[in-house]
């Protein structure tokens, strides 16, 4: 009996010693888990900081690229203006029998982009095929036309549009009316008012289909459509330029622009 009592007391004492040890081990395990979690969080913060730094660097690089592209675009616009004026002047001199100097080396303008006439632009008396007598008009008509064209050369496109519109209303059948319609369309086109530009070019084409400005008017109709996101209509119009006015500069330009548009759609 005494022996059993001693064993029971010994067992109880062993349990009393083991319980704190188990609790201590559990406490240590919890602390280790907390430390591990903190370490993981710290590593996550480091990774996040690295990502933020990388994104900042990429954003700075993109800003630099945007600034560079803006500068290139500005230079391209200036180059396009010069090329447009040079081409128009060369065509006018060719048609009037003048001597055309060699063309300067320059990169071609992007498809559909407007090019603005400036003080270097030149105009000549209109040529109407099959009706040379129509050129004999009064001095008041030429004076009004010159005033509108001078505003265009000066870059005052709002004023040139107003003056060309007034000229057309005053001289609806004048010798310079086809030219006025064309330059009225240009006044709208260079300010990116493509819808109004298209109306003027279409009026020229409908009323004077054999005029020397007609091929250019059809070309600008196609480009106006393209700039209004009417891509399929623009492709049809540009293709028609070569069909209706083969061998003209407008036809060659229309073909180049059409190829550029179609290549752009494939990308």
């Amino acid at each position: 009996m005494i022996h059993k009592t001693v064993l029971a007391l010994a067992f109880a004492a062993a349990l009393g010693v083991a319980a704190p040890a188990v609790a201590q081990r559990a406490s240590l395990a919890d602390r280790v888990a907390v430390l591990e979690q903190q370490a993981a969080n710290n590593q996550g913060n480091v990774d996040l900081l690295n990502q933020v730094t990388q994104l900042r660097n990429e954003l700075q690089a993109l800003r630099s690229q945007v600034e560079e592209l803006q500068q290139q675009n500005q230079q391209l616009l200036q180059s396009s203006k010069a090329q447009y004026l040079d081409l128009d002047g060369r065509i006018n001199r060719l048609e009037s029998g003048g001597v055309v100097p060699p063309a300067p080396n320059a990169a071609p303008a992007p498809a559909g982009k407007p090019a603005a006439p400036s003080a270097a632009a030149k105009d000549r008396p209109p040529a109407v095929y099959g009706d040379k007598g129509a050129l004999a008009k009064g001095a008041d008509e030429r004076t009004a036309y010159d005033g509108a064209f001078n505003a265009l050369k000066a870059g005052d496109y709002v004023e040139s549009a107003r003056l060309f519109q007034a000229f057309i209303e005053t001289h609806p059948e004048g010798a310079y009316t086809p030219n006025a319609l064309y330059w009225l369309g240009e006044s709208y086109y260079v300010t990116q008012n493509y819808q109004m530009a298209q109306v003027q070019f279409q009026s020229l084409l409908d009323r004077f289909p054999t005029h020397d400005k007609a091929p250019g008017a059809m070309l600008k109709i196609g480009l106006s459509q393209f700039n209004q996101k009417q891509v399929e209509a623009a492709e049809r119009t540009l293709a028609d330029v070569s069909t209706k006015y083969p061998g003209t500069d407008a036809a060659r330009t229309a073909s180049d622009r059409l190829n550029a548009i179609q290549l752009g759609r494939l990308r």
Side-chain angles (χ1 to χ4, degrees):
M1 183 65 177
I2 294 172
H3 180 66
K4 291 181 178 180
T5 300
V6 172
L7 290 175
L9 290 173
F11 182 72
L15 288 176
V17 173
V22 172
Q24 186 177 10
R25 285 197 298 272
S27 176
L28 288 173
D30 292 340
R31 291 169 64 188
V32 169
V34 170
L35 291 173
E36 290 176 344
Q37 183 62 38
Q38 291 178 347
N41 290 340
N42 290 336
Q43 183 61 41
N45 290 336
V46 171
D47 292 341
L48 182 60
L49 180 60
N50 290 337
Q51 292 176 14
V52 170
T53 301
Q54 181 179 358
L55 289 174
R56 285 177 177 171
N57 293 336
E58 292 177 355
L59 178 59
Q60 182 62 40
L62 288 174
R63 285 175 177 170
S64 298
Q65 291 178 13
V66 168
E67 291 175 355
E68 182 178 354
L69 289 173
Q70 288 175 337
Q71 178 63 24
Q72 291 177 357
N73 184 59
Q74 185 63 29
Q75 294 175 350
L76 187 57
L77 285 175
Q78 295 298 327
S79 175
S80 298
K81 292 178 183 179
Q83 290 177 58
Y84 174 86
L85 296 172
D86 176 74
L87 177 60
D88 187 70
R90 287 163 60 80
I91 292 173
N92 285 338
R93 288 191 294 273
L94 276 173
E95 292 172 335
S96 60
V99 177
V100 181
N105 293 326
K113 295 297 180 182
S118 71
K122 294 183 178 180
D123 197 38
R124 63 183 181 81
V128 181
Y129 300 131
D131 190 9
K132 300 296 184 181
L135 302 182
K137 295 295 180 180
D140 58 333
E141 179 184 345
R142 178 69 198 195
T143 299
Y145 178 82
D146 286 344
F149 194 76
N150 288 336
L152 180 77
K153 291 193 294 182
D156 190 350
Y157 306 121
V158 174
E159 181 66 6
S160 68
R162 186 186 71 80
L163 291 175
F164 278 124
Q165 184 64 54
F167 176 91
I168 293 168
E169 292 173 358
T170 305
H171 306 280
E173 302 299 330
Y176 290 89
T177 299
N179 290 50
L181 281 168
Y182 182 86
W183 293 116
L184 176 58
E186 281 290 345
S187 298
Y188 289 127
Y189 187 83
V190 297
T191 56
Q192 301 184 9
N193 190 345
Y194 301 116
Q195 184 176 7
M196 288 296 295
Q198 182 178 341
V199 171
Q200 312 312 318
F201 292 129
Q202 187 64 57
S203 178
L204 191 162
L205 196 62
D206 292 341
R207 295 176 59 188
F208 307 99
T210 61
H211 192 271
D212 59 353
K213 291 291 187 185
M218 178 173 276
L219 168 65
K220 286 301 177 71
I221 290 172
L223 297 180
S224 297
Q225 290 171 328
F226 177 76
N227 283 297
Q228 294 176 81
K229 311 302 181 184
Q230 302 168 9
V231 178
E232 293 183 357
E235 290 179 335
R236 290 193 297 270
T237 302
L238 293 174
D240 286 344
V241 178
S242 298
T243 302
K244 295 183 178 180
Y245 303 101
T248 62
D249 289 286
R252 286 186 286 272
T253 301
S255 178
D256 291 340
R257 299 297 173 88
L258 179 59
N259 291 336
I261 292 171
Q262 292 174 339
L263 287 174
R265 295 182 68 180
L266 295 176
R267 293 176 182 174

